[in-house]
Amino acid sequence: MIKRIAHIVLLASVCSVLLVSCEQWKDFEIKSVSVRTISPRGLKAADLTMGATVNNPGKAIQIDSIFGVIKVADKPMVRLDAADILLESGQEKDYEFPVNGAILEGINVFYILGALTDSDASAVRIDVLVYAKLAGTNFGKTIEYKDIPLISLIGR
């Protein structure tokens, strides 16, 4: 009987923690993202520093991978890879993280410049794929953002 009551209390505790965590996850917000610096590495690559302001009232979140593709007029031009990031729990915070950019095979910088000249700024878009999980667990999710106007990330 006592063992059964202990199981019920444990189950109720786990459920209440999960409900609180879900409520806090709902309030998670990426307030801004911007390109802070760009440092070219020859004609085929560049190092970027990205900035983000994140409000994370819930548990800490580990971002294990960030991959992106910059497209001009829907044609992939540049691949982006970012370092892992830990979004701390219970606060709004500014983060800076490095991103490596490389021109895709078969594309050169002059082709990109020509495409940029022929297209308006809204034709330059970015697709991003992120794998995020609760820090210290294996509970994660792949999140995809498509067709983000690159102009919205520059000059903030």
Side-chain angles (χ1 to χ4, degrees):
M1 179 72 167
I2 293 178
K3 198 174 193 182
R4 184 175 169 98
I5 291 172
H7 284 131
I8 292 171
V9 169
L10 180 62
L11 181 61
S13 299
V14 168
C15 287
S16 66
V17 167
L18 288 174
L19 289 173
V20 168
S21 294
C22 290
E23 183 65 29
Q24 290 172 336
W25 180 256
K26 183 177 77 170
D27 295 330
F28 178 88
E29 181 181 8
I30 299 172
K31 294 196 167 203
S32 69
V33 177
S34 63
V35 176
R36 303 270 169 92
T37 64
I38 300 174
S39 302
R41 282 187 289 130
L43 293 176
K44 289 286 199 179
D47 294 322
L48 295 84
T49 302
M50 299 288 295
T53 302
V54 177
N55 181 27
N56 182 19
K59 306 281 185 208
I61 298 171
Q62 177 68 43
I63 307 294
D64 281 343
S65 62
I66 301 175
F67 300 104
V69 175
I70 297 175
K71 304 178 298 185
V72 179
D74 292 326
K75 181 167 176 65
M77 302 273 180
V78 178
R79 175 188 46 80
L80 303 170
D81 297 304
D84 296 348
I85 307 164
L86 177 66
L87 304 176
E88 296 174 16
S89 64
Q91 61 184 324
E92 181 175 313
K93 186 174 177 182
D94 291 324
Y95 295 90
E96 279 196 358
F97 53 97
V99 177
N100 297 317
I103 295 175
L104 294 171
E105 195 67 35
I107 306 288
N108 64 48
V109 71
F110 301 109
Y111 182 83
I112 293 173
L113 291 173
L116 290 173
T117 303
D118 295 341
S119 303
D120 63 61
S122 66
V124 182
R125 299 190 170 270
I126 184 170
D127 293 341
V128 179
L129 191 67
V130 176
Y131 180 75
K133 66 181 184 178
L134 291 176
T137 72
N138 289 327
F139 298 110
K141 181 177 183 174
T142 299
I143 304 164
E144 187 172 20
Y145 298 96
K146 291 192 137 304
D147 291 327
I148 302 167
L150 192 62
I151 195 76
S152 69
L153 303 179
I154 298 174
R156 287 188 176 184

